[in-house]
Amino acid sequence: MSDTNNEKVRCLIIGSGPAGYTAAIYASRANLAPVLYEGIQPGGQLTTTTEVENFPGYPEGVTGPQLMEDLKKQAQRFGADIRMGIATATDLSAAPYKVTIDGEKVIETETLIISTGATAKYLGLPDEAKYAGMGVSACATCDGFFYRKKNVAVVGGGDTACEEALYLASLAKQVYLIVRKPYLRASKVMQERVFKAPNITVLFEHNTLGLFGENGVEGAHLVKRKGEPDEELVDIAIDGFFLAIGHKPNSDIFKPWIETDEVGYIKTIDGTPRTKVPGVFAAGDVADPHYRQAITAAGSGCKAAIEAERYLSEHGK
Ligand SMILES: Cc1cc2nc3c(=O)[nH]c(=O)nc-3n(C[C@H](O)[C@H](O)[C@H](O)COP(=O)(O)OP(=O)(O)OC[C@H]3O[C@@H](n4cnc5c(N)ncnc54)[C@H](O)[C@@H]3O)c2cc1C
């Protein structure tokens, strides 16, 4: 590869969700001349949703794409260099760190902010795409409020599914927890809380076949004890269908160098976005198995940029 294909920067940000853009705002205002690569989904996950009602500063709410456009413009106003491109490989063995973009160009950077997000897992049913934003959600904290006094279902049997079911039970009329196995994988404490909730019905050994409804989800077709002699088809009337079967953090290309947990979330030093590699920081959902909200992602993007600035100044770069 020719040298003309290489470039040296002080601060490279990978990802254009709330974490990446917020890091770009802070890094550009701190004179780090950050370069940000947007990746396959410019604007991140929020570009796939309509109303965002819980991001501070928008009393009337804001659409996801508008919020992300605002954050991008704010970063560009201070000179952040926002580019199209996907990080395809990394070499974080020694500073300056090397990140390959689109398999061609290599960026050498003194500091790296990883803000590549985490992707929710879906069952893979065509109806999940058909009813996206019309009753299908992978985030109870984000969308639960829209289902007050309505009926909803949560798919999953782990701690997250139980947490989501309990959260929704405080808002909705009735919550069905659709569990593939004859038992819950969640901790005993979680299980007890679910079983005690008067408006949660656990549907063990049920699989979802599809969803139905005219202008949004009105119900789900389920099968009980699939493949067994007593297999049974069951329909439930619901307004919302929540997936809680896990997320996949977009951390694969960093894994040879950066520590992750068993799911793939990047491990950071408690309370900070610092990874074990000096000058490399992780912000937003890619490092957050617990909250996964736009505001928490933005907050950690801010922290990462402040850390990058301090690192550069400490090392005289
Ligand atoms: C449908 C939906 C509705 C939601 N509603 C709300 C809500 O109302 N309120 C709320 O607070 N939260 C909501 N969330 C959650 C919120 O979107 C996330 O918590 C937030 O977007 C996480 O921000 P992030 O910056 O970590 O990453 P993301 O938004 O996930 O962005 C990741 C970015 O990384 C880029 N990327 C990934 N890999 C690469 C690579 N190899 N190279 C370059 N770039 C890469 C992607 O292109 C993307 O730009 C919702 C999520 C979804 C899916």
Side-chain angles (χ1 to χ4, degrees):
M1 190 178 299
S2 77
D3 274 355
T4 51
N5 228 5
N6 289 9
E7 188 181 345
K8 286 193 171 146
V9 302
R10 294 174 77 211
C11 177
L12 180 65
I13 301 167
I14 306 294
S16 56
Y21 283 155
T22 305
I25 294 169
Y26 276 75
S28 46
R29 293 187 77 251
N31 243 356
L32 306 190
V35 170
L36 179 151
Y37 279 94
E38 291 182 315
I40 201 164
Q41 190 176 49
Q45 294 174 56
L46 280 185
T47 56
T48 65
T49 192
T50 47
E51 280 304 299
V52 178
E53 294 190 335
N54 54 8
F55 198 87
Y58 292 94
E60 305 303 326
V62 59
T63 67
Q66 184 62 53
L67 173 58
M68 296 318 298
E69 196 50 40
D70 288 350
L71 285 175
K72 179 178 181 174
K73 277 196 202 136
Q74 195 172 348
Q76 283 174 323
R77 178 178 156 215
F78 301 110
D81 185 349
I82 295 173
R83 304 176 182 174
M84 279 161 51
I86 299 170
T88 46
T90 59
D91 177 354
L92 310 183
S93 53
Y97 304 114
K98 296 183 187 65
V99 177
T100 308
I101 304 296
D102 295 332
E104 298 175 338
K105 186 181 174 82
V106 176
I107 308 272
E108 287 188 19
T109 185
E110 296 297 338
T111 59
L112 175 65
I113 297 177
I114 303 168
S115 47
T116 44
T119 312
K121 290 185 189 162
Y122 287 81
L123 296 170
L125 302 171
D127 285 341
E128 289 169 318
K130 181 176 168 191
Y131 292 101
M134 295 165 66
V136 172
S137 171
C139 176
T141 316
C142 309
D143 296 328
F145 193 73
F146 300 117
Y147 297 93
R148 274 163 301 158
K149 300 198 169 61
K150 295 188 173 178
N151 298 330
V152 298
V154 176
V155 181
D159 276 321
T160 307
C162 289
E163 252 169 39
E164 303 267 276
L166 285 161
Y167 178 78
L168 288 165
S170 68
L171 296 162
K173 188 160 76 183
Q174 169 69 42
V175 179
Y176 296 100
L177 186 57
I178 302 171
V179 185
R180 212 163 21 119
K181 303 247 166 77
Y183 55 85
L184 290 171
R185 277 183 297 109
S187 64
K188 272 271 166 301
V189 183
M190 255 325 167
Q191 295 194 25
E192 275 166 23
R193 289 182 58 204
V194 163
F195 292 135
K196 267 195 200 147
N199 59 342
I200 298 181
T201 305
V202 185
L203 301 174
F204 286 115
E205 296 184 90
H206 281 69
N207 281 282
T208 310
L209 297 175
L211 303 169
F212 58 88
E214 285 290 317
N215 296 311
V217 170
E218 291 172 12
H221 300 298
L222 310 179
V223 54
K224 185 178 176 188
R225 292 180 53 77
K226 191 170 181 233
E228 300 297 323
D230 57 349
E231 176 182 297
E232 197 184 323
L233 296 176
V234 183
D235 279 359
I236 52 171
I238 49 166
D239 308 284
F241 183 75
F242 287 81
L243 283 307
I245 51 174
H247 283 74
K248 181 175 182 343
N250 303 314
S251 60
D252 287 355
I253 56 166
F254 309 102
K255 271 186 188 163
W257 321 102
I258 299 280
E259 223 187 320
T260 61
D261 70 9
E262 64 284 357
V263 179
Y265 286 102
I266 294 178
K267 282 192 182 175
T268 56
I269 296 164
D270 275 352
T272 77
R274 274 180 246 148
T275 69
K276 284 203 172 144
V277 182
V280 177
F281 309 97
D285 284 10
V286 72
D288 180 2
H290 302 294
Y291 305 110
R292 289 190 301 263
Q293 291 295 289
I295 187 62
T296 48
S300 64
C302 152
K303 289 188 196 174
I306 293 175
E307 290 279 354
E309 192 278 325
R310 288 183 185 161
Y311 173 88
L312 288 168
S313 120
E314 272 164 28
H315 290 80
K317 304 273 184 187

